[in-house]
Amino acid sequence: MTDDELVTRFHEMWDGFPGLARLIDSHHTVIASNPAAQERGFVEGATCAKVGGPELHRECKLAAFFKDGEAITDHVIDDRIRGWMPVEGRPDVCIHFAVMIPR
């Protein structure tokens, strides 16, 4: 799959997601993001870990994901659940999402 196909498939799947979704490489670079993530500054080419305040990236599991390649979720931020998911055939990228928990 080419990078263009990967980005197209990402948008087809994640643009309607009600939380933030990003396609990220192992260097923390945003390759693609859904509209909700773009509104928060997670735009193509941005370094994910530098967007927003440091509390958003507390205990980030990106390195652990790339070490094992297994999906990971956590809940270290009170109002959201985060996850890192593999992309089949692309061990160099992952889907990183965050879902806000309604109150």
Side-chain angles (χ1 to χ4, degrees):
M1 173 181 341
T2 68
D3 286 348
D4 288 340
E5 290 171 326
L6 179 62
V7 169
T8 297
R9 289 183 180 180
F10 169 85
H11 286 294
E12 287 172 354
M13 182 71 179
W14 292 94
D15 277 0
F17 183 67
L20 309 179
R22 290 135 335 217
L23 182 66
I24 301 175
D25 70 15
S26 59
H27 301 287
H28 297 249
T29 303
V30 176
I31 299 167
S33 56
N34 71 348
Q38 291 171 16
E39 290 174 11
R40 300 265 179 109
F42 294 99
V43 296
E44 183 180 327
T47 300
C48 186
K50 294 183 179 179
V51 177
E55 68 280 355
L56 295 177
H57 307 284
R58 184 173 30 140
E59 299 181 40
C60 176
K61 307 283 191 273
L62 189 69
F65 168 81
F66 281 112
K67 180 181 175 193
D68 298 329
E70 303 274 331
I72 302 171
T73 58
D74 75 8
H75 184 186
V76 297
I77 301 173
D78 288 339
D79 66 344
R80 71 195 72 193
I81 295 172
R82 305 181 301 184
W84 296 261
M85 298 173 28
V87 175
E88 186 175 332
R90 293 295 303 262
D92 58 324
V93 298
C94 75
I95 303 291
H96 179 29
F97 66 88
V99 179
M100 296 2 164
I101 300 169
R103 301 218 178 237

